[in-house]
Amino acid sequence: MKTKLAILRHDPWLDPYAEAIEGRHQDVIRKIEHLTMHTGGSLSRFANAYRYYGLHRDEDGNWIFRELAPNATNIWLVGTFNDWKEEEQFRLRPADGGVWEAKIPADLIHDGDLYKLKVQWAGGEGERIPAYATRVVQDENTKIFSAQVYEPEHPYRFKIRNFRPDTEPLLIYECHIGMSQEKEGVGSYEEFRVNVLPRIAADGYNAIQIMAIQEHPYYGSFGYHVSSFYAPSSRFGTPDDLRRLIDDAHSRGIAVIMDIVHSHAVKNEVEGLGRLDGSFDLYFYGDERREHPAWDSLLFDYGKDNVLHFLLSNCKYWLEEYKFDGFRFDGVTSMLYYDHGLGKAFGGYGDYYDGNENTDAIVYLTLANLLIHDVNPRAITIAEEMSGMPGLAAKFEDGGIGFDYRMAMGIPDYWIKMIKEKKDEDWHPTSVFWELTNRRADEKTISYCESHDQALVGDKTIIFRLIDKEMYWHMGIEDDNGTVERGLALHKMIRLVTLASINGGYLNFMGNEYGHPEWIDFPREGNGWSYKYARRQWSLVDREDLKYKYLNRFDNAMISLVSSVYGFERLPVDKLWEKDDDQVLAFRRGDLIFVFNWSPVQSFADYGFLAPAGEYEVVLSSDNADFGGFGNIDETVRHFTTPDPLYSPAGKGWLKLYIPSRTAQVLKMVRQAPVASKHRSSSKEKKN
């Protein structure tokens, strides 16, 4: 009898869709057999396109260049080495399978030379940047992009070659190199390494997730309209600057995750892949599916072997050449469905298996995960996906797509909705707890209150929604302002309850840990090409006279607390108490009990709920004066549970606390009470 895939065994509601799930599983197996027929079954050996295509030295030190361009009729390599002219010694010759190739003497091309392809096809011609270019630069005056030879005399050598990240739990600091500096301009890899990386290490995060690494022509796209998939953005520095940054992060015990974009590509034809050889369908769909209806970009045709070769090799390239520790895949929902999930509610399982799923894309994502974990078994893969497709973060052998984590994208939407639409009196703990813990038991998630998405112009960060314009005038430590005090209190509580309930990892966007004010707006025509809002104002948190430091200290404390419990994310979330009338929530994880009072007006003395019997100490209080609180919780007091004959045999007692309004506190069991035995008691009574 055929064994059922694990995801079908674990979730009987998927039984009606077993054929689709098993079908895509077999599709992957068949695709692997097809792609690796000449590599001994090795997907990793298949994913070596970057070692074959592009500009390389051969074993004799001469240059060899290759490009896949089956629609081309003529191709020349043009650049500063031949005054951008079509010369015979730089002409590419057709080889097998649509490949064009040129062999060039070593002394004709040098480090720093700029180059492009001059491509001719039936009915047209144009300059193109090679698909596998590993460095692309923009001329400051003409704004024209060109590939550049990068062969430094003393290339950077990694000091740490086999980094083993300690990411249980995974605590991600999402960041953008260019906007990481306080200056009104574009920050560099080196400035980030020197100025920002030490802050992240001090804040206690064990991973950074870097956006906008792949080269993109328009800075304001946040890096999501990629043109050169193999080139780290030169606006931030050199490839070796990026390598040095990653090496430094590893030396601090910080994993480095790349925000990779394989869901679409920029439409630009000169800079991008749009019509590299004059055809429309070399890498993308050639029909009405070619353009994304909402993103103004081009869509890969994942059913083509050359597209799989290009994208899978791209994953391996960043792992091997730069030592990235994994990827957060952008726009996965768009990839999974032919309609890109636009305007769809996904209210039931039938919505995932209605014939709208893009099986080619699902196969690609599964292959990518298998490849990545083959190249680096400790690699981290995260899916940015909002539809909730079952199995996305389940192992391939279990019938899943293979991601390690999926983004819990409903959580930030929930917090925004709460802040915008609910009165403080209507913040119900039953709703909070359900939203934060409603997830598939067999898939890990990354929980977060807000990412870069919630900070973009047209939206607002949590702190700015809570405090708004009062932030401009009332953030001084001597300034008593009710709006600010409410905002600080809720900011801390929202973050702690989100972190405390994780089942995989937690993410924070750069600066939000201390309540960075305002929004993100990259330079564009509409703002006069200003960098005012495309930066981070670190001086705010460094100033002793402002309240930003309180939020940062609290963030440090909660991150430190959770980090101190190895495997915290795997501990059961045991709800101890929730009462909407009182707005009180309490739950336990291991030896820690998290208690929240969301009420804006009601504080409680001797508020009791059942907990494991024993002695407890307060290990974190959002009301601590060091965190901008009022100091109403006495953290020196030890709390002892009160026995109850009804619950004592089960090892429980009544834990009674003072719970001020709008506060959170965490208690740790320091001594467990002995469990009374019912049988022993009754025997003793009988004897007496």
Side-chain angles (χ1 to χ4, degrees):
M1 180 184 285
K2 185 179 177 182
T3 305
K4 249 187 182 182
L5 292 169
I7 64 169
L8 296 172
R9 296 199 307 271
H10 296 159
D11 188 351
W13 292 98
L14 285 173
D15 277 347
Y17 315 104
E19 186 177 350
I21 293 169
E22 289 170 345
R24 75 187 188 196
H25 187 79
Q26 292 302 317
D27 286 344
V28 173
I29 293 172
R30 285 191 292 270
K31 183 60 75 172
I32 292 174
E33 291 174 352
H34 168 68
L35 295 177
T36 64
M37 65 176 71
H38 301 301
T39 63
S42 170
L43 203 56
S44 179
R45 286 175 60 195
F46 168 78
N48 281 330
Y50 63 94
R51 295 177 178 172
Y52 179 78
Y53 293 111
L55 184 65
H56 302 280
R57 295 277 192 182
D58 65 15
E59 60 273 10
D60 298 321
N62 294 314
W63 295 101
I64 187 164
F65 180 88
R66 299 187 186 96
E67 187 72 51
L68 179 66
N71 189 58
T73 56
N74 271 308
I75 304 179
W76 290 268
L77 204 62
V78 297
T80 51
F81 42 74
N82 59 13
D83 202 24
W84 302 96
K85 295 176 180 176
E86 301 156 21
E87 295 183 351
E88 190 63 27
Q89 58 188 335
F90 292 99
R91 181 197 285 270
L92 277 64
R93 307 295 178 186
D96 294 337
V99 177
W100 291 73
E101 180 180 274
K103 295 181 179 180
I104 302 163
D107 60 346
L108 296 187
I109 298 177
H110 305 90
D111 176 51
D113 280 341
L114 303 178
Y115 66 97
K116 288 182 183 179
L117 297 176
K118 180 65 177 294
V119 184
Q120 292 180 342
W121 57 88
E125 65 177 27
E127 290 188 347
R128 297 290 186 262
I129 291 177
Y132 290 83
T134 56
R135 179 161 170 80
V136 175
V137 297
Q138 184 179 27
D139 185 278
E140 291 186 8
N141 298 316
T142 65
K143 305 303 180 186
I144 292 173
F145 286 88
S146 303
Q148 185 179 46
V149 179
Y150 187 72
E151 196 181 46
E153 185 178 353
H154 301 290
Y156 186 79
R157 306 294 182 191
F158 284 99
K159 298 180 178 65
I160 299 175
R161 295 188 175 274
N162 295 301
F163 176 64
R164 294 177 176 269
D166 181 5
T167 51
E168 292 202 18
L170 177 59
L171 303 168
I172 302 172
Y173 196 91
E174 185 186 34
C175 48
H176 183 284
I177 299 296
M179 62 170 289
S180 65
Q181 301 302 311
E182 185 144 0
K183 67 182 182 184
E184 293 189 26
V186 180
S188 69
Y189 297 122
E190 185 65 9
E191 287 172 318
F192 183 93
R193 184 185 74 84
V194 173
N195 300 325
V196 182
L197 199 56
R199 290 181 181 271
I200 299 170
D203 285 342
Y205 290 86
N206 55 28
I208 54 176
Q209 180 177 298
I210 310 182
M211 308 170 63
I213 290 295
Q214 295 167 293
E215 191 60 85
H216 45 289
Y218 179 44
Y219 186 49
S221 75
F222 230 141
Y224 290 124
H225 278 196
V226 174
S227 52
S228 295
F229 286 76
Y230 285 82
S233 181
S234 62
R235 57 173 54 86
F236 309 137
T238 69
D240 277 356
D241 290 340
L242 176 58
R243 291 186 175 96
R244 187 176 291 105
L245 187 165
I246 294 171
D247 210 19
D248 197 344
H250 287 168
S251 74
R252 299 172 183 271
I254 297 173
V256 185
I257 300 167
M258 176 176 163
D259 200 344
I260 199 167
V261 183
H262 282 179
S263 49
H264 62 138
V266 74
K267 289 170 67 174
N268 301 34
E269 294 181 357
V270 175
E271 294 88 3
L273 302 173
R275 293 186 66 193
L276 190 138
D277 65 353
S279 67
F280 290 92
D281 60 351
L282 177 58
Y283 290 102
F284 309 103
Y285 290 111
D287 53 22
E288 70 280 356
R289 296 174 295 173
R290 188 170 191 265
E291 295 191 18
H292 196 290
W295 294 350
D296 192 34
S297 54
L298 302 181
L299 296 171
F300 288 106
D301 183 349
Y302 304 102
K304 293 183 175 179
D305 288 354
N306 68 292
V307 173
L308 296 179
H309 201 202
F310 180 80
L311 295 176
L312 289 172
S313 299
N314 193 235
C315 294
K316 184 178 178 181
Y317 169 79
W318 292 109
L319 291 172
E320 298 243 308
E321 298 297 317
Y322 288 88
K323 307 297 181 188
F324 277 99
D325 300 294
F327 305 98
R328 179 262 203 187
F329 278 74
D330 177 69
V332 170
T333 306
S334 176
M335 300 172 71
L336 293 177
Y337 309 101
Y338 287 121
D339 65 5
H340 312 297
L342 298 172
K344 198 165 183 177
F346 295 101
Y349 278 7
D351 290 338
Y352 304 117
Y353 308 103
D354 59 0
N356 181 46
E357 60 270 28
N358 185 340
T359 53
D360 288 337
I362 292 171
V363 167
Y364 164 65
L365 289 169
T366 310
L367 292 174
N369 276 287
L370 289 170
L371 168 73
I372 291 162
H373 292 106
D374 182 30
V375 174
N376 180 1
R378 298 180 296 275
I380 299 159
T381 59
I382 304 167
E384 190 235 11
E385 205 281 322
M386 52 72 61
S387 78
M389 176 178 273
L392 187 68
K395 294 179 180 178
F396 169 67
E397 53 265 35
D398 292 340
I401 295 175
F403 284 97
D404 296 308
Y405 304 88
R406 63 191 311 157
M407 302 290 290
M409 298 184 71
I411 293 177
D413 291 343
Y414 173 80
W415 287 124
I416 289 172
K417 188 177 179 69
M418 288 280 279
I419 296 169
K420 285 175 65 175
E421 300 178 10
K422 299 284 186 182
K423 296 185 298 183
D424 288 7
E425 292 81 2
D426 293 333
W427 285 40
H428 293 155
T430 54
S431 171
V432 171
F433 188 79
W434 187 88
E435 182 65 42
L436 295 178
T437 58
N438 176 36
R439 54 212 175 197
R440 299 184 63 82
D442 57 347
E443 299 189 42
K444 295 186 292 185
T445 60
I446 302 295
S447 299
Y448 59 109
C449 313
E450 52 188 342
S451 67
H452 69 276
D453 284 328
Q454 285 70 42
L456 289 169
V457 66
D459 208 335
K460 290 183 180 179
T461 59
I462 284 176
I463 197 68
F464 213 53
R465 286 189 182 279
L466 291 169
I467 304 179
D468 210 77
K469 64 182 184 299
E470 303 299 317
M471 290 191 76
Y472 297 125
W473 315 108
H474 300 289
M475 287 296 282
I477 59 172
E478 302 298 331
D479 193 331
D480 294 327
N481 180 278
T483 300
V484 171
E485 300 307 333
R486 169 184 177 267
L488 297 184
L490 290 176
H491 192 269
K492 290 180 285 185
M493 294 179 71
I494 288 169
R495 280 174 148 62
L496 179 60
V497 74
T498 303
L499 171 62
S501 55
I502 61 172
N503 77 323
Y506 174 79
L507 177 142
N508 166 73
F509 179 67
M510 177 175 65
N512 287 352
E513 71 277 8
Y514 65 85
H516 195 284
E518 302 177 322
W519 50 86
I520 298 168
D521 187 14
F522 281 91
R524 54 189 173 85
E525 189 175 0
N527 66 15
W529 303 103
S530 170
Y531 287 88
K532 181 179 179 181
Y533 297 107
R535 61 192 181 111
R536 295 286 91 175
Q537 298 180 62
W538 304 107
S539 59
L540 296 176
V541 71
D542 292 339
R543 284 177 56 175
E544 288 298 319
D545 61 329
L546 296 179
K547 293 180 179 179
Y548 297 98
K549 65 179 182 181
Y550 295 144
L551 297 179
N552 195 65
R553 287 175 186 169
F554 182 77
D555 196 85
N556 291 174
M558 72 176 195
I559 291 291
S560 176
L561 177 64
V562 169
S563 299
S564 69
V565 182
Y566 183 78
F568 173 86
E569 75 285 0
R570 297 194 302 271
L571 297 172
V573 184
D574 181 13
K575 182 169 60 182
L576 302 178
W577 184 261
E578 59 179 5
K579 195 169 190 295
D580 287 347
D581 291 348
D582 297 337
Q583 295 183 266
V584 174
L585 171 67
F587 58 86
R588 179 174 72 97
R589 301 198 79 168
D591 291 334
L592 298 177
I593 292 179
F594 298 84
V595 185
F596 300 84
N597 178 6
W598 300 95
S599 172
V601 293
Q602 183 67 53
S603 298
F604 300 97
D606 292 329
Y607 195 95
F609 54 86
L610 285 169
E615 178 186 350
Y616 292 84
E617 65 177 353
V618 178
V619 291
L620 182 63
S621 165
S622 68
D623 199 46
N624 189 300
D626 283 345
F627 307 140
F630 298 100
N632 288 326
I633 296 173
D634 189 344
E635 298 173 47
T636 65
V637 173
R638 292 289 180 107
H639 299 275
F640 299 84
T641 55
T642 304
D644 185 321
L646 190 62
Y647 298 103
S648 293
K652 294 182 178 180
W654 291 96
L655 185 59
K656 295 186 176 181
L657 306 171
Y658 173 54
I659 313 177
S661 64
R662 281 202 191 114
T663 64
Q665 55 188 297
V666 186
L667 297 96
K668 182 178 182 179
M669 178 183 278
V670 292
R671 186 178 293 107
Q672 185 175 5
V675 179
S677 170
K678 249 182 177 178
H679 176 72
R680 206 174 293 139
S681 299
S682 55
S683 300
K684 190 174 182 183
E685 288 166 9
K686 202 170 186 181
K687 186 177 179 183
N688 290 342

